[in-house]
Amino acid sequence: MFGSRQGEYIPATNIAVSAFGNALKNPWVGGFNAPVFSEIDLDGDGIRDLFVFDKEGNRISTYINNGAPNTVDYVFAPEYKKKFPAGLHDWVLLKDFNCDGKEDIFTYSYGSGITVYRNDYSVQDGLKFTLLYNLIYSVYPVGYYNLYVSPVNLPALVDVDYDGDLDILTFALNGSWVEFHKNLGKELFNKCDTLVYTMEPDCFGNFGLSANSNTAILNTTCRINGLYSPFPDSSAQTALHSGSCMISFDIDGDGDNDLMNGDFLGNNLLQLTNGGSATAANIVSQDSLFPVYNTPVDIFTFPAPYYLDVNNDSQKDLIVAPCLSGPTENYNNILLYKNTTNNITNVFNYQQNRFLTEDVIEVGAGANVTFVDIDADGLKDIIIGNFGYYSSILPFESGLSYYRNTGSATAPAFDLQTIDFGNFFSLSVTEIKPTFGDVDSDNDLDLLLGQTDGTIIYYSNTAGPGNYPIYSLVQPQLTNNFGIPIDVGQSSTPQLIDVNRDGKLDLIIGEKSSNISYYENTGTPFSPVFTLLNPNFGGVNVNSYPFLYGYSNPILFDSAGTYQLFVGSTSGYIYYYNNIDNNLNGNFTLVDSMYQNINEPLRSTVDVADLNNDGVLEILVGNFSGGVTLYKWEQSTGIQDGKTPPVVDFSVYPNPTSGDLFVKFKSSAIIERNIAVIDITGRLVEQRNSSSGVIIFDTKNYGKGMYQLRIIEGSNVKIGKFIVR
């Protein structure tokens, strides 16, 4: 059986994983494709911990820094993820703007700008954030507008002029020049806790970016009287530059801020030296192969730099990672350069290209998870298919990683044996999703592989019972009862299971457009024949706004003699259906579209197994960042940091809805509440302040999909959810 409502599923960070015998320190983090790094003291011990925001799926990972000197000492601490506001998206940077020593949140706003949350950490309440600015504004030469930052770019948050308040450097709308937005907090109010900006009329540093590569064109004036002027080198300009992610700090210790920039137009890191002053920047030289004195950054493509102390030696190091997900390096993709001098001279020496990822389960892009006892020892192993590892010659290399269960029946432990189980790299296909089962009744596990084109590859295991599998290709495209290849369109995710309980393994298949197809095995126990009975099995639909496709990933499983269905989805949430037995031609009951609030974006995949024989299933979830998270059932309802969560004392009905939604509070006490409706992307849809016992929201104009209710009562935050049909 799986967990009841008397507890919760939490990440199982204590289950050991190793790779070829070497222990992984933080295996269940969930992978990284385009991580953004920031420092923050999560637990109030005075040591800067690590916050990682992956632009692939808007995923948050939090690490506690135990602070051992001259040591990278980060430990995955997923409980702190809950402390950050829901719905952060596109990019997140943490920076102390109000001089209280606590890092605040700067993040992209759907208004093409910046949203800011203040860090209100206290010993009593722990980490807590308060929305301070929905949008930051600045005085431009042509008027007062929101301070523009692209969702692709990363601005530099730094005290440019050394006057004690936080300024912002960001690329202009056309992407070629850097704007200096000066904070007037000190000038106007003599304090640094206010974000009041004006754009300086000249472009920062008197340079522009080339339209052809990640290089700079120096000694240019980009504006006349605050307006854009023609670029001197017309052959090197375009109307819109592709995208840039930069940082700014004093790299040479001369008292002014220099720049480092990664760009969509190159694999390199561009270092720009400021030969001017703190108040009048002038870029006088560039290193387009930084660091040219050591191992230059070379990462495909669009690298982004981060400047922070990762090894507790008080000297800030350099991390470089992709600033955009997609056809980029996704395995050897986090470069670490150690600062071998100090924060004044800053000499960086290359250390490795798998910082953090060397200690996690990481399969590149896309993690398609499956529990199966490969070695027939009675213990469930883990097989992970993937979309693929980055390759300079497309397609990506897609294969199966095999983590053997080397533990016991009550204490699981996993060790990576190979990242190419079955030698499927040689197929040159992408997005393979495995499912295992004895379809020919010879007492070993055969294999089906889903893939990007929507078809399924069929292999027979010829090794015999109890032996390590040997796979022989039966059909490059599994056919149906008419001899026609089974094709569900795109991104087939098959599962072999005896759906109708007749002793033969049937086939259900998820796919890109979100529904599930059911093929009954109408053959014999020795020769399967798959016949399509229902192309919309159970009426399952995991599409949700604003995603165009649902990418259903089904796992049908038996719990105490009754079938239950979990379905992974694009949103990263798990859909939970029941009412399946004796209802194979009907619509299943959607019990929960955000099961246990487990959310592993983007494109979650799921499987379940009782790994420790306690009668409760563990849940394994993969995501498109190439990592996995294992969830275990925690009988207590307490949060891991020891604080008791607020009691859910309200009901939401009808749910799903297509009209009025009622939020009813059980308490008769008059309490002022802030109630926010947030869509699945994190966009604020509607917000109310009310002390009424019943609040009504009209959802007719919301758009179909999942929504979150965030209810704030004083210092307590309560979360609800509903679906609009």
Side-chain angles (χ1 to χ4, degrees):
M1 61 182 296
F2 59 103
S4 66
R5 292 292 180 182
Q6 284 69 45
E8 62 178 342
Y9 274 103
I10 65 171
T13 56
N14 61 337
I15 294 181
V17 180
S18 55
F20 310 111
N22 299 312
L24 301 184
K25 189 173 182 180
N26 301 295
W28 307 107
V29 170
F32 301 105
N33 277 1
V36 178
F37 297 90
S38 296
E39 292 177 302
I40 181 174
D41 185 359
L42 295 170
D43 55 359
D45 65 353
I47 300 173
R48 289 292 181 266
D49 306 303
L50 187 64
F51 171 90
V52 188
F53 179 84
D54 198 334
K55 298 176 79 172
E56 179 78 85
N58 301 323
R59 293 181 54 254
I60 290 174
S61 303
T62 48
Y63 290 82
I64 289 295
N65 183 0
N66 287 326
N70 300 300
T71 304
V72 177
D73 201 12
Y74 295 119
V75 177
F76 183 43
E79 62 270 23
Y80 290 96
K81 174 182 175 180
K82 301 177 183 178
K83 303 293 186 177
F84 288 82
L88 300 177
H89 55 89
D90 290 286
W91 56 261
V92 179
L93 292 168
L94 307 185
K95 192 77 173 182
D96 176 19
F97 80 87
N98 57 359
C99 307
D100 64 355
K102 297 177 290 190
E103 284 77 13
D104 309 292
I105 296 174
F106 288 72
T107 185
Y108 180 70
S109 165
Y110 281 115
S112 296
I114 303 174
T115 293
V116 178
Y117 293 83
R118 186 182 63 220
N119 184 341
D120 288 330
Y121 176 90
S122 68
V123 175
Q124 179 182 1
D125 296 326
L127 194 63
K128 179 183 176 182
F129 293 97
T130 301
L131 177 64
L132 204 61
Y133 297 93
N134 272 315
L135 273 176
I136 296 177
Y137 289 84
S138 185
V139 178
Y140 286 82
V142 292
Y144 185 62
Y145 298 100
N146 60 283
L147 200 163
Y148 173 80
V149 177
S150 161
V152 177
N153 295 353
L154 286 180
L157 309 175
V158 63
D159 183 4
V160 173
D161 51 10
Y162 290 84
D163 66 349
D165 53 24
L166 189 68
D167 307 306
I168 296 177
L169 297 175
T170 183
F171 280 92
L173 181 61
N174 71 359
S176 295
W177 298 286
V178 174
E179 296 176 346
F180 171 27
H181 291 266
K182 177 178 172 58
N183 190 346
L184 299 178
K186 293 291 288 187
E187 287 83 354
L188 295 178
F189 309 108
N190 195 31
K191 58 182 183 178
C192 62
D193 61 353
T194 303
L195 301 179
V196 182
Y197 290 98
T198 184
M199 189 186 79
E200 294 294 280
D202 294 320
C203 64
F204 181 83
N206 302 314
F207 79 97
L209 286 182
S210 167
N212 304 313
S213 63
N214 185 25
T215 56
I217 300 172
L218 307 183
N219 303 313
T220 178
T221 299
C222 61
R223 296 186 185 87
I224 299 175
N225 297 324
L227 301 177
Y228 293 116
S229 64
F231 206 85
D233 184 354
S234 60
S235 67
Q237 78 158 359
T238 58
L240 292 174
H241 192 79
S242 301
S244 302
C245 292
M246 67 175 167
I247 58 174
S248 179
F249 65 99
D250 186 4
I251 192 171
D252 51 11
D254 64 351
D256 54 40
N257 282 286
D258 309 291
L259 291 176
M260 279 189 191
N261 186 64
D263 197 274
F264 189 75
L265 296 177
N267 302 346
N268 63 309
L269 198 60
L270 174 66
Q271 190 265 316
L272 299 164
T273 298
N274 184 357
S277 67
T279 55
N282 184 40
I283 302 301
V284 296
S285 65
Q286 61 180 308
D287 176 2
S288 61
L289 293 174
F290 185 82
V292 69
Y293 55 80
N294 189 250
T295 302
V297 169
D298 183 5
I299 185 169
F300 188 85
T301 184
F302 198 0
Y306 306 94
Y307 183 56
L308 63 161
D309 178 16
V310 303
N311 62 346
N312 301 299
D313 65 354
S314 299
Q315 313 307 327
K316 291 193 174 184
D317 308 296
L318 185 67
I319 299 174
V320 185
C323 200
L324 188 68
S325 61
T328 58
E329 177 61 60
N330 55 33
Y331 187 71
N332 299 307
N333 65 340
I334 305 180
L335 281 57
L336 173 62
Y337 287 79
K338 180 182 177 181
N339 190 339
T340 59
T341 55
N342 52 52
N343 297 331
I344 297 175
T345 55
N346 292 291
V347 175
F348 300 106
N349 285 352
Y350 173 79
Q351 304 294 303
Q352 60 166 304
N353 60 8
R354 301 201 68 229
F355 174 66
L356 292 186
T357 59
E358 65 178 355
D359 277 317
V360 308
I361 296 174
E362 170 67 72
V363 296
N368 298 319
V369 298
T370 302
F371 281 121
V372 59
D373 183 6
I374 282 293
D375 53 2
D377 64 353
L379 303 176
K380 290 288 188 181
D381 309 301
I382 297 174
I383 298 289
I384 309 172
N386 66 347
F387 182 88
Y389 299 97
Y390 166 76
S391 172
S392 59
I393 302 175
L394 296 179
F396 284 8
E397 291 182 318
S398 186
L400 300 180
S401 292
Y402 168 32
Y403 286 82
R404 181 172 179 262
N405 190 339
T406 57
S408 67
T410 57
F414 298 94
D415 182 56
L416 177 63
Q417 307 294 298
T418 176
I419 64 171
D420 192 18
F421 173 76
N423 193 33
F424 296 121
F425 281 161
S426 60
L427 291 177
S428 296
V429 300
T430 55
E431 205 169 355
I432 63 174
K433 168 62 171 71
T435 183
F436 298 85
D438 184 10
V439 296
D440 54 9
S441 298
D442 62 353
N443 296 312
D444 57 22
L445 294 174
D446 306 300
L447 171 64
L448 302 183
L449 292 177
Q451 57 179 320
T452 299
D453 70 4
T455 63
I456 295 171
I457 309 170
Y458 172 27
Y459 291 89
S460 175
N461 184 356
T462 60
N467 295 315
Y468 192 79
I470 299 173
Y471 293 112
S472 176
L473 179 64
V474 178
Q475 290 181 315
Q477 292 184 327
L478 179 67
T479 58
N480 62 18
N481 55 308
F482 296 110
I484 300 172
I486 293 173
D487 187 347
V488 294
Q490 285 184 282
S491 303
S492 52
T493 57
Q495 182 194 5
L496 286 166
I497 185 169
D498 186 2
V499 175
N500 57 4
R501 301 185 188 271
D502 67 350
K504 295 177 294 184
L505 290 178
D506 307 300
L507 180 62
I508 61 174
I509 313 170
E511 39 95 356
K512 181 176 179 177
S513 68
S514 93
N515 64 305
I516 300 172
S517 298
Y518 167 38
Y519 285 80
E520 182 184 352
N521 186 347
T522 57
T524 70
F526 306 99
S527 180
V529 175
F530 295 107
T531 302
L532 179 63
L533 288 192
N534 192 342
N536 190 16
F537 186 50
V540 170
N541 185 343
V542 297
N543 255 340
S544 58
Y545 176 85
F547 304 107
L548 296 177
Y549 304 102
Y551 285 97
S552 56
N553 177 263
I555 177 68
L556 185 66
F557 61 97
D558 191 297
S559 177
T562 303
Y563 273 142
Q564 315 288 333
L565 178 65
F566 283 164
V567 189
S569 66
T570 296
S571 68
Y573 287 103
I574 297 172
Y575 286 66
Y576 165 40
Y577 292 85
N578 65 13
N579 186 28
I580 298 167
D581 294 280
N582 303 314
N583 187 31
L584 300 182
N585 294 319
N587 289 332
F588 305 153
T589 300
L590 176 60
V591 180
D592 199 335
S593 58
M594 301 177 179
Y595 182 70
Q596 285 283 311
N597 281 318
I598 293 172
N599 185 228
E600 296 293 337
L602 194 63
R603 291 175 60 178
S604 60
T605 66
V606 62
D607 204 351
V608 298
D610 183 2
L611 296 175
N612 55 5
N613 280 317
D614 65 351
V616 181
L617 295 173
E618 280 70 46
I619 301 176
L620 185 65
V621 187
N623 62 62
F624 206 72
S625 288
V628 302
T629 305
L630 182 66
Y631 288 85
K632 67 177 181 179
W633 184 249
E634 181 72 24
Q635 197 63 37
S636 167
T637 56
I639 298 176
Q640 282 183 313
D641 63 6
K643 294 180 175 62
T644 303
V647 176
V648 178
D649 61 350
F650 62 92
S651 56
V652 181
Y653 60 91
N655 190 9
T657 184
S658 57
D660 287 341
L661 180 82
F662 294 81
V663 183
K664 182 177 181 180
F665 295 90
K666 298 176 183 178
S667 172
S668 59
I670 298 176
I671 301 173
E672 184 69 19
R673 304 178 178 94
N674 176 273
I675 305 99
V677 177
I678 302 166
D679 71 16
I680 199 167
T681 70
R683 181 178 64 91
L684 179 66
V685 177
E686 189 172 354
Q687 188 168 227
R688 306 262 191 91
N689 289 309
S690 176
S691 58
S692 173
V694 179
I695 301 169
I696 305 173
F697 290 91
D698 183 355
T699 70
K700 288 194 291 292
N701 296 320
Y702 278 12
K704 296 179 180 179
M706 293 182 291
Y707 293 84
Q708 183 185 80
L709 282 168
R710 185 175 62 202
I711 300 169
I712 301 176
E713 297 177 355
S715 62
N716 290 331
V717 180
K718 306 175 183 182
I719 302 297
K721 55 195 174 182
F722 64 93
I723 296 175
V724 174
R725 291 295 195 198

